[in-house]
Amino acid sequence: DTHQNYIYHNNSANRWIGIRLEFIGAMVIYYVALLTVSNQSMVGLAFVGIIVSYVLRLIPSLNSLLLASGLLEENIISFERVAQYLDLPRETNDETGVGYPTSGQEKLPVRGPIEYRDVSLTYSDGSTVLHNVTLTIGAGEKLGIVGRTGSGKSSFIGTLFRFYPKNTSGTILIAGVGLNAISLRKLRNELTLVPQSTSLFSGLVQNFIDPWKAHTVEQLQTIMRECELASVSLGATLQELSDGQRQLLCLVRGLLRRKPIIILDEATSGLNADTEDLILKVFHKQFHDRTVLMIAHHLNTVKCCDRILWLQEGRVRKIAPLSEYTVEERVELGFRD
C-alpha cells in the first residue's frame, strides 16, 4: 500500500507539472500569434513558424528537465544512505575470542542449550524492540516464533548473530558460554540462516549449493534427492528454478553445511500451500537432529514445533507447546485446526 501511494503521488505530481508546462506553451503560442496579427508588416511568417516550432520542442524538454532533477534528488538520497553505511564501524571479523563450544571426544559443535537472560534491545533512535527476554532453548529443540509484524521476531534472531552488540543488554549463552566471549567468525560459522527472500545470482545449481567444492557429485545428487529435488540437474541455471525450488536449494545448502543451529526466517512465506507442505516435509525429515528456530509467516507452519514462542511488542507473551495454548489464544494467533 505504501509503495502504491508513492506511485500515485508521483504520477499526480508529473501530471500537475505537465499541465502547467502545456499551459505555459499555449500562452507563448497565443502571444506569438497575437504579435503576428498586430504587427503583420514587421513579423514574417517564417519567423512565426520558427518560434512556434521551438516552443513546441521546449515543452517536453522542460518536462524532462524537471523529471531529471527529481530523479537526481532521489539518487542523491540513495547515495547519502550508501555513504552512511560505508561510514559505520566495521565488525571485528577476526579470531579474537574463545572458540565455539564443543562436546564429546570428537569435539563436535554443540546444539545448545541457548539461554536468554534478561535480554533487551534498544535501537539508536531510542525505540526498544525487545524487553527483558528470559528463556532457554534446549539442545535439539524445535522452537516456533510467532507474533504480529513489529513484535520483535527478527530482532530476537538478530541478537543470536550479534548484529546489534552495542544496543543489546543482558546475557546470551550457548552451552554456558557467553555469546560475547565467542569469536564472531566462529559463532556465525556454526549458525545457518535460511532467509525469507531468496536472492540467487546467475550461475549453476552446483556452484550455489557447494561453492567451495567440498562434496562429490554423488553426495550432492543424494542430498538433492532427499530434498525432493531429483528433477533438478546440478548443471541447471538458477534462473530456471521456481520459487519453491529455490527455497529447497537453501535447505540443501543448510544441510550440506551440517551446522548445529538452524534459523528459518519466514522461509515459506509467499509460497503456495503445496510447496510449503513440501518444504516442511523436507525440514522435519532432514533437520530432526538440529536445534531449529523457525519464524512463522503462516502460523500453521510452526504447529509441529516442540514449543511456540509468542512475542508481543518485544515481550514474551507465552512460550509453551501448542497443546497448552487455549482456544482463544489460538484464534488470536490465527491457528487453523
Side-chain angles (χ1 to χ4, degrees):
D1 291 340
T2 302
H3 181 66
Q4 293 297 328
N5 286 335
Y6 168 78
I7 293 176
Y8 172 76
H9 289 299
N10 183 59
N11 292 338
S12 298
N14 290 339
R15 188 57 184 158
W16 185 90
I17 293 173
I19 291 174
R20 278 150 182 80
L21 288 176
E22 291 173 2
F23 177 75
I24 292 173
M27 291 300 298
V28 171
I29 293 174
Y30 169 77
Y31 280 111
V32 168
L34 185 63
L35 179 64
T36 303
V37 172
S38 59
N39 299 278
Q40 295 183 7
S41 60
M42 298 176 61
V43 181
L45 294 178
F47 180 72
V48 174
I50 292 174
I51 294 177
V52 172
S53 176
Y54 275 104
V55 168
L56 292 176
R57 292 183 181 183
L58 181 64
I59 295 172
S61 298
L62 287 175
N63 199 6
S64 299
L65 179 62
L66 291 174
L67 290 176
S69 63
L71 289 174
L72 176 62
E73 183 72 20
E74 184 177 334
N75 291 332
I76 287 176
I77 294 173
S78 299
F79 175 79
E80 291 175 348
R81 188 179 296 115
V82 171
Q84 179 183 359
Y85 280 108
L86 290 175
D87 291 337
L88 291 176
R90 295 191 176 186
E91 294 179 323
T92 303
N93 197 26
D94 53 23
E95 300 294 336
T96 304
V98 302
Y100 186 87
T102 58
S103 63
Q105 296 181 350
E106 298 179 357
K107 299 296 182 180
L108 296 175
V110 299
R111 300 179 296 165
I114 304 170
E115 299 179 61
Y116 279 71
R117 296 180 180 175
D118 200 30
V119 175
S120 297
L121 174 61
T122 302
Y123 288 138
S124 55
D125 61 0
S127 59
T128 302
V129 292
L130 291 178
H131 301 266
N132 308 109
V133 175
T134 299
L135 56 90
T136 300
I137 305 168
E141 181 179 3
K142 309 297 181 290
L143 180 70
I145 305 172
V146 299
R148 295 183 180 275
T149 301
S151 61
K153 303 186 297 296
S154 295
S155 299
F156 176 81
I157 295 300
T159 58
L160 188 60
F161 282 88
R162 282 172 52 187
F163 287 156
Y164 327 100
K166 295 183 179 180
N167 305 99
T168 305
S169 62
T171 305
I172 305 175
L173 303 100
I174 298 180
V177 180
L179 205 67
N180 292 331
I182 303 174
S183 163
L184 186 61
R185 177 181 295 180
K186 294 178 179 178
L187 169 67
R188 293 181 180 173
N189 189 52
E190 301 302 331
L191 304 176
T192 295
L193 174 65
V194 180
Q196 174 183 0
S197 56
T198 308
S199 300
L200 304 185
F201 299 102
S202 60
L204 303 180
V205 169
Q206 182 174 356
N207 295 335
F208 173 75
I209 62 177
D210 188 24
W212 304 111
K213 310 298 182 185
H215 303 82
T216 65
V217 173
E218 290 73 17
Q219 289 174 327
L220 297 179
Q221 290 175 339
T222 299
I223 199 69
M224 292 278 283
R225 285 194 299 269
E226 292 176 352
C227 292
E228 308 291 339
L229 287 173
S231 60
V232 177
S233 169
L234 293 175
T237 60
L238 298 175
Q239 291 85 348
E240 300 174 17
L241 306 180
S242 65
D243 291 339
Q245 289 174 327
R246 293 184 178 198
Q247 208 66 41
L248 284 170
L249 272 187
C250 290
L251 294 180
V252 169
R253 188 168 177 169
L255 279 171
L256 289 172
R257 294 191 73 223
R258 301 190 181 281
K259 300 305 178 182
I261 300 175
I262 311 293
I263 296 96
L264 287 84
D265 188 1
E266 300 187 9
T268 61
S269 65
L271 303 177
N272 59 48
D274 293 337
T275 305
E276 181 181 2
D277 291 340
L278 176 59
I279 290 176
L280 292 178
K281 175 185 174 182
V282 172
F283 159 72
H284 290 297
K285 178 181 178 182
Q286 301 295 337
F287 292 142
H288 61 88
D289 59 343
R290 319 282 181 95
T291 300
V292 178
L293 281 65
M294 179 187 290
I295 296 178
H297 179 72
H298 301 298
L299 298 177
N300 265 26
T301 304
V302 298
K303 65 181 180 182
C304 295
C305 292
D306 301 321
R307 291 189 298 168
I308 297 174
L309 169 62
W310 182 3
L311 290 176
Q312 189 173 55
E313 296 181 352
R315 294 180 172 84
V316 178
R317 169 88 177 260
K318 187 171 185 176
I319 178 169
L322 180 59
S323 59
E324 296 183 13
Y325 278 78
T326 65
V327 175
E328 292 78 11
E329 290 171 336
R330 293 191 188 198
V331 171
E332 186 173 351
L333 285 171
F335 280 103
R336 304 184 302 271
D337 294 326

